[in-house]
């Protein structure tokens, strides 16, 4: 529980996003989104269903190519344009330097592979070949996300929803990504399970200095996990700033509506 | 004495877009300078904007006009216009805010809540633990509670965890929003001492205290906001 965020703060952003738009024919998925994300920083994207936040996340994380605009990622000293590099290079980047936590753990897990295998697979992607060490790492990560060691050889389909989500997070974080994308990471979970998961994410992000982009419609989740917030409506960013500023003193009509609609965020 | 904080021409009006664009003016043209070792207590009846001003100084509310310069790393930084990353850095090391309420993080123990800001500033683990334990003891929080998450604590116990978290390693500028509100007399005394210690160490303090006796003992100066109340 130590290793604080490196100081002095890094000067170069990890992710540089300029004018990203995604059109589906005439319909706007998201329009003209720009921001910078630095190592150790957590950015939240909030808005109701259909506001374009998941579309944006798919563009940022290399899954869908934007109609226009650029997503660039800092790899060593280079700023790499995510959609102009060859497909295999992008896939490799997504498997090693990045992690994507899906809302539905079934989209992020291999359901026919054991829990240990799910975690170990990412290490093999990274080039690890020593079976004993991979198994040991996998076991250690399962215990970090509070899954008992003796479940290592069980299939994920025998896990509860909350356990599957924690397994997915272990699978992503084991390869020590520098940037993690999360789509509604606590969606569909019981409140008590949510609290566990939120605290786990908070500690992991702080201890590992990971940068993260989190899409959520839950303002309490945003408050707890994010440093900065972007509010989206109809595909556009209508307000952005420090998370506590945006939630406590919202200026845009839509943000005021969102902030006043929760009991206590 | 070193100038730690200078606010100029601050005004604030809330615009309620979903209530027909109603404008609620709160503050008009407030100015305030605080030097190292000073404690300025904000005075005035409810509704004069004391908490609003404190939140603006912290960068939590965005003022309609004006600037808030704070001394950070040997230079003045305007909290109102600074990049969000810089504001977070200023809050981490220079500008602390103590509210009446502990924002409870699920499942985190009282001890870890108190240790957390020190770890974020690079204080070694063992040192952070030792200082956190000392501070919780000084605030008379029973030791059996230290390893528990404060969600189930009483209001006063939660408040003491909150104060311990802020005063265990005071920042050069401290903003206090009624930190003694739910404390008994004994613990109010401890807080008065903690504020005095922080001042003696060179901290600049701006605070709101409802309790007259506490206010008089803490304050080196008063600023009555009645005069700056914006016309409705």
């Amino acid at each position: 529980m130590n290793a604080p965020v490196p100081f002095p703060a890094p000067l170069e952003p990890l992710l540089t996003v300029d004018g990203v738009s995604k059109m589906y024919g005439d319909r706007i998925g998201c329009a003209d989104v720009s921001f910078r994300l630095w190592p150790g920083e957590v950015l939240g994207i909030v808005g109701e269903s259909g506001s374009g936040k998941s579309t944006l996340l798919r563009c940022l994380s290399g899954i869908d190519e934007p109609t226009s605009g650029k997503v660039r990622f800092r790899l060593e000293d280079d700023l790499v344009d995510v959609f102009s590099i060859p497909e295999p290079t992008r896939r490799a980047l997504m498997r090693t330097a990045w992690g994507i936590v899906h809302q539905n753990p079934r989209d992020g897990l291999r359901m026919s592979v054991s829990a240990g295998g799910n975690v170990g697979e990412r290490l093999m992607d990274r080039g690890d070949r020593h079976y004993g060490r991979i198994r040991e790492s996998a076991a250690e990560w399962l215990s970090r996300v509070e899954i008992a060691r003796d479940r290592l050889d069980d299939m994920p389909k025998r896990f509860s929803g909350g356990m599957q989500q924690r397994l997915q997070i272990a699978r992503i974080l084991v390869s020590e990504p520098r940037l993690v994308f999360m789509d509604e990471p606590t969606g569909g979970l019981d409140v008590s399970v949510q609290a566990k998961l939120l605290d786990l994410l908070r500690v992991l992000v702080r201890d590992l200095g990971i940068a993260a982009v989190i899409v959520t419609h839950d303002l309490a989740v945003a408050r707890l996990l994010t440093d900065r917030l972007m509010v989206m409506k109809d595909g556009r960013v209508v307000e952005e700033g420090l998370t506590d500023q945006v939630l406590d003193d919202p200026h845009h009509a839509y943000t005021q509506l969102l902030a006043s609609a929760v009991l206590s965020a | 004495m070193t100038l730690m904080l200078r606010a100029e021409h601050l005004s604030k009006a809330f615009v309620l877009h979903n209530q027909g664009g109603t404008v609620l003016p709160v503050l008009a043209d407030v100015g305030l300078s605080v030097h190292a070792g000073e404690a300025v207590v904000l005075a005035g009846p409810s509704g004069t904007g004391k908490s609003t001003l404190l939140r603006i100084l912290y960068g939590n509310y965005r003022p309609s006009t004006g600037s808030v310069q704070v001394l950070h790393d040997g230079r003045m930084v305007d909290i109102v216009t600074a990049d969000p990353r810089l504001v977070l850095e200023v809050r981490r090391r220079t500008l602390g805010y103590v509210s009446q309420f502990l924002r409870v993080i699920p499942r985190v123990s009282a001890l870890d809540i108190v240790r957390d800001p020190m770890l974020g500033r690079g204080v070694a683990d063992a040192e952070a633990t030792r200082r956190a334990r000392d501070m919780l003891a000084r605030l008379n929080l029973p030791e059996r509670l230290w390893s528990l998450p404060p969600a189930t604590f009483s209001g006063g116990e939660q408040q003491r965890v909150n104060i311990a978290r802020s005063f265990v390693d005071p920042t050069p500028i401290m903003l206090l929003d009624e930190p003694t509100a739910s404390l008994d007399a004994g613990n109010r005394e401890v807080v008065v001492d903690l504020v005095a210690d922080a001042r003696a160490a060179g901290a600049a303090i701006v605070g709101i205290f409802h309790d007259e006796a506490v206010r008089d003992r803490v304050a080196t100066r008063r600023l009555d906001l009645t005069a700056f109340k914006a016309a409705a």
Side-chain angles (χ1 to χ4, degrees):
Chain A
M1 288 257 317
N2 41 20
V5 178
F7 185 81
L11 293 176
E12 298 292 342
L14 191 61
L15 191 70
T16 303
V17 177
D18 290 299
V20 164
S21 301
K22 177 75 180 174
M23 301 295 295
Y24 298 101
D26 286 343
R27 197 169 63 75
I28 295 173
C30 63
D32 199 24
V33 178
S34 304
F35 67 89
R36 306 278 179 275
L37 184 72
W38 278 267
E41 204 179 24
V42 181
L43 173 73
I45 304 175
V46 297
E48 59 201 17
S49 309
S51 59
K53 51 194 198 310
S54 292
T55 300
L56 175 62
L57 195 75
R58 292 174 66 83
C59 290
L60 300 178
S61 58
I63 297 173
D64 280 350
E65 185 165 358
T67 312
S68 60
K70 277 194 185 335
V71 178
R72 286 174 295 173
F73 180 71
R74 180 157 297 276
L75 207 57
E76 329 267 90
D77 286 333
D78 293 327
L79 208 52
V80 176
D81 184 335
V82 171
F83 291 98
S84 70
I85 53 178
E87 175 78 18
T89 317
R90 181 162 72 247
R91 293 280 157 202
L93 184 76
M94 289 167 71
R95 276 200 312 270
T96 54
W98 293 5
I100 303 173
V101 176
H102 297 271
Q103 175 175 8
N104 184 343
R106 288 163 178 270
D107 296 336
L109 292 172
R110 296 255 312 260
M111 298 306 283
S112 56
V113 173
S114 71
N118 262 286
V119 178
E121 199 174 49
R122 290 272 295 193
L123 292 172
M124 288 191 281
D125 281 345
R126 209 178 57 173
D128 290 11
R129 287 293 175 264
H130 188 288
Y131 178 77
R133 271 203 300 273
I134 290 173
R135 194 173 160 84
E136 192 42 46
S137 260
E140 191 189 309
W141 266 97
L142 287 190
S143 69
R144 270 184 105 154
V145 299
E146 302 180 20
I147 295 174
R149 247 184 138 85
D150 63 9
R151 305 298 301 268
L152 193 64
D153 296 315
D154 286 357
M155 294 293 161
K157 62 170 176 276
R158 293 183 48 203
F159 288 3
S160 69
M163 279 173 77
Q164 285 180 358
Q165 191 56 297
R166 279 179 277 144
L167 178 62
Q168 189 191 189
I169 286 166
R171 173 180 159 93
I172 297 305
L173 295 184
V174 68
S175 60
E176 296 174 14
R178 294 163 62 207
L179 176 58
V180 175
F181 299 96
M182 301 189 203
D183 191 0
E184 305 278 7
T186 59
L189 299 177
D190 288 345
V191 179
S192 63
V193 178
Q194 268 194 31
K196 267 190 181 180
L197 198 64
L198 288 174
D199 185 45
L200 175 75
L201 289 174
R202 195 184 63 86
V203 169
L204 290 175
V205 166
R206 188 191 69 184
D207 289 359
L208 304 175
I210 294 170
V213 180
I214 300 178
V215 160
T216 179
H217 67 271
D218 186 333
L219 299 187
V221 168
R223 164 95 71 182
L224 199 61
L225 288 181
T226 68
D227 302 311
R228 279 194 297 141
L229 214 53
M230 293 198 315
V231 182
M232 292 189 73
K233 177 175 168 42
D234 301 333
R236 294 177 191 277
V237 175
V238 295
E239 185 159 2
E240 60 187 307
L242 284 172
T243 298
D244 65 287
Q245 267 179 0
V246 172
L247 295 180
D248 292 340
D249 186 13
H251 283 203
H252 191 278
Y254 178 67
T255 318
Q256 291 186 352
L257 200 62
L258 276 185
S260 66
V262 286
L263 293 173
S264 163
Chain B
M1 272 296 179
T2 314
L3 178 66
M4 301 296 286
L5 180 151
R6 169 175 283 157
E8 291 180 303
H9 305 299
L10 289 179
S11 57
K12 176 67 179 172
F14 293 94
V15 182
L16 309 179
H17 293 291
N18 300 301
Q19 267 128 58
T22 306
V23 178
L24 287 180
V26 180
L27 293 170
D29 203 26
V30 179
L32 169 68
S33 291
V34 192
H35 295 81
E38 275 194 300
V40 177
V41 169
L42 305 179
S46 286
T48 45
K50 300 187 293 293
S51 285
T52 298
L53 175 57
L54 216 54
R55 283 169 175 264
I56 291 172
L57 299 181
Y58 190 58
N60 176 232
Y61 284 179
R62 293 168 279 189
S64 312
T65 67
S67 62
V68 178
Q69 306 274 339
V70 298
L71 184 65
H72 176 73
D73 278 350
R75 66 191 169 110
M76 294 309 261
V77 171
D78 182 5
I79 284 291
V80 177
T81 54
D83 180 85
R85 291 176 70 224
L86 181 56
V87 176
L88 289 177
E89 192 50 36
V90 169
R91 287 181 182 177
R92 187 153 71 108
R93 294 190 291 120
T94 300
L95 185 63
Y97 182 89
V98 189
S99 74
Q100 300 171 55
F101 306 104
L102 177 66
R103 196 177 281 288
V104 180
I105 307 162
R107 295 180 73 226
V108 180
S109 75
L111 191 68
D112 279 340
I113 289 173
V114 178
R115 279 161 27 103
D116 193 61
M118 289 188 281
L119 297 178
R121 293 177 197 129
V123 174
D125 205 275
E127 162 86 1
T129 303
R130 187 187 58 74
R131 288 169 62 182
R133 295 176 66 93
D134 287 352
M135 186 52 71
L136 287 171
R138 188 168 170 187
L139 282 156
N140 307 303
L141 193 78
E143 189 166 350
R144 64 188 157 78
L145 297 181
W146 296 359
S147 59
L148 304 176
T152 55
F153 293 7
S154 73
E157 286 163 350
Q158 289 194 8
Q159 177 61 347
R160 279 179 277 156
V161 173
N162 199 23
I163 289 164
R165 175 182 166 89
S166 304
F167 278 95
V168 70
D169 186 33
T171 46
I173 305 171
M174 301 278 279
L175 308 173
L176 312 177
D177 191 352
E178 303 213 36
T180 56
S182 45
L183 300 184
D184 58 35
N187 285 308
R188 272 204 303 273
E189 284 303 307
V190 178
V191 174
V192 170
D193 288 344
L194 288 172
V195 173
D197 289 355
R199 274 207 309 116
I205 288 161
V206 183
I208 302 168
F209 296 90
H210 249 93
D211 186 305
E212 284 281 351
V214 171
R215 188 191 305 169
D216 292 343
R217 291 181 52 207
V218 167
T220 61
R221 196 149 56 86
R222 274 180 181 232
L223 176 69
D224 193 327
L225 288 184
T226 314
F228 301 101
K229 174 79 186 138

